Amino acid sequence: MELNCAGCAGCCVDWRPLAPEGGSDHERRGPYSPLDAAYNLVALEREEIRGFLADGMGDALTVRLWEADDDEGAVEIDGHRLAAVAGRPAFFVGLRKPPKPVAPVGREEPTWLPSCVFLDPDTLQCRIHGDALYPAECGAYPAHNLELGVETECERVEAAGGGDRLLEDDPGDAADTGPLFGPQAVGQKLFAHPDSDDLEGIVERAAEGTLTREDRAEFVAVAAASSPGTLALSDPHYEDAREQVLAADSWAGRAIDDWEERAGGRGEPAATDPADAGRAVEEERGAPDTPGWD
């Protein structure tokens, strides 16, 4: 794949407030709409989730649930009809997106936009690129979209802001690891919570964007305790994972708290230098730096 990612970060930032018509609604999947407002959520596989937990970064993870258009196969909690698998609320686990002062897709002035927890707001590069924690979904993007004939974020950025981002439309070797779809995704990338009663109150907070650490720990623990291809859960893995999330105190989690305190409104100009803020909020807490662009 040949891409022009310099100054873009279109797949890591919710840049829709900068688009003339607000970007696209591609987060919707068939009859299901995400309960949250996150853009381009990176869905993690079970082993990736366990890797983040082992590295003490359970506080960088969050959950995505979906609302269903009809009642067939859905579960109702807190007044929301949720997509389900065998009567259990279905969900992804992904990376949190705090507001950061960024200037993506060719913008000159920084703006407060939801951005991946691992995005350097100055260079607009990933702080864990090349690391063992770097998600497979990020590494395969946009090859899988091209392979499936689906519009890429590169093309959305080009349409909204101009410029050339997707320089080659042949996915090549980048698409060798196919996207995880169908029954094989259950327990490996798509998870199901075993007890709807335990989610009362949590679902409403998910819709409001006010999930607590305890809320996120509940879903992350279920995902980490899941078994590929089944709905079975390992109780010891569940307990260990939940404790790991509750005990996590990573640079990423502390940076998220700081960004949320500093941030202005979504899409508002940021009266702060991204480089200075990135150093103070992330790097001084232990975040790896990024190489910058040649």
Side-chain angles (χ1 to χ4, degrees):
M1 286 304 306
E2 186 179 358
L3 310 173
N4 175 21
C5 296
C8 181
C11 50
C12 307
V13 170
D14 185 351
W15 53 272
R16 292 174 296 177
L18 307 179
E21 297 181 2
S24 71
D25 186 31
H26 73 282
E27 298 293 311
R28 183 183 179 90
R29 296 292 185 268
Y32 308 117
S33 297
L35 198 62
D36 61 88
Y39 190 67
N40 285 349
L41 183 84
V42 175
L44 302 175
E45 297 180 22
R46 186 195 64 165
E47 290 307 308
E48 293 174 330
I49 295 166
R50 290 181 174 181
F52 278 104
L53 294 178
D55 216 42
M57 286 194 166
D59 48 359
L61 307 180
T62 191
V63 61
R64 162 161 288 176
L65 296 149
W66 294 272
E67 252 184 311
D69 287 346
D70 54 49
D71 291 324
E72 185 176 355
V75 175
E76 184 163 338
I77 307 173
D78 292 342
H80 297 274
R81 292 193 306 272
L82 301 180
V85 175
R88 301 181 177 193
F91 66 95
F92 277 165
V93 169
L95 301 177
R96 297 173 68 185
K97 289 201 168 182
K100 296 186 182 184
V102 292
V105 294
R107 300 284 292 190
E108 293 184 3
E109 300 299 326
T111 303
W112 287 109
L113 296 173
S115 308
C116 179
V117 59
F118 296 113
L119 184 74
D120 177 353
D122 177 34
T123 63
L124 298 182
Q125 292 176 317
C126 178
R127 294 195 185 276
I128 61 170
H129 188 272
D131 187 273
L133 292 178
Y134 188 64
E137 184 162 309
C138 297
Y141 183 84
H144 286 165
N145 294 58
L146 291 169
E147 193 176 38
L148 295 169
V150 178
E151 185 183 32
T152 68
E153 199 63 43
C154 312
E155 293 165 305
R156 296 186 188 103
V157 168
E158 290 173 349
D164 295 315
R165 301 296 176 183
L166 183 66
L167 304 181
E168 178 189 12
D169 60 6
D170 179 5
D173 294 341
D176 285 350
T177 56
L180 204 57
F181 292 144
Q184 65 268 31
V186 175
Q188 190 163 342
K189 192 170 188 177
L190 177 69
F191 308 101
H193 194 281
D195 194 338
S196 297
D197 290 342
D198 288 348
L199 301 184
E200 291 183 3
I202 298 179
V203 170
E204 186 57 37
R205 290 192 290 277
E208 294 172 348
T210 58
L211 286 170
T212 66
R213 179 184 289 244
E214 289 76 13
D215 295 338
R216 294 191 298 271
E218 177 61 26
F219 288 101
V220 173
V222 169
S226 295
S227 299
T230 78
L231 296 175
L233 298 178
S234 163
D235 289 339
H237 280 93
Y238 170 87
E239 295 296 340
D240 288 347
R242 189 172 186 279
E243 289 305 314
Q244 285 176 304
V245 177
L246 295 177
D249 186 32
S250 71
W251 70 260
R254 284 181 276 125
I256 290 171
D257 293 340
D258 199 343
W259 285 127
E260 290 177 344
E261 289 180 6
R262 292 171 180 244
R266 180 175 176 271
E268 292 183 357
T272 185
D273 180 70
D276 292 341
R279 281 192 295 269
V281 177
E282 298 181 351
E283 291 172 25
E284 290 181 10
R285 289 187 164 96
D289 59 10
T290 56
W293 303 98
D294 294 331

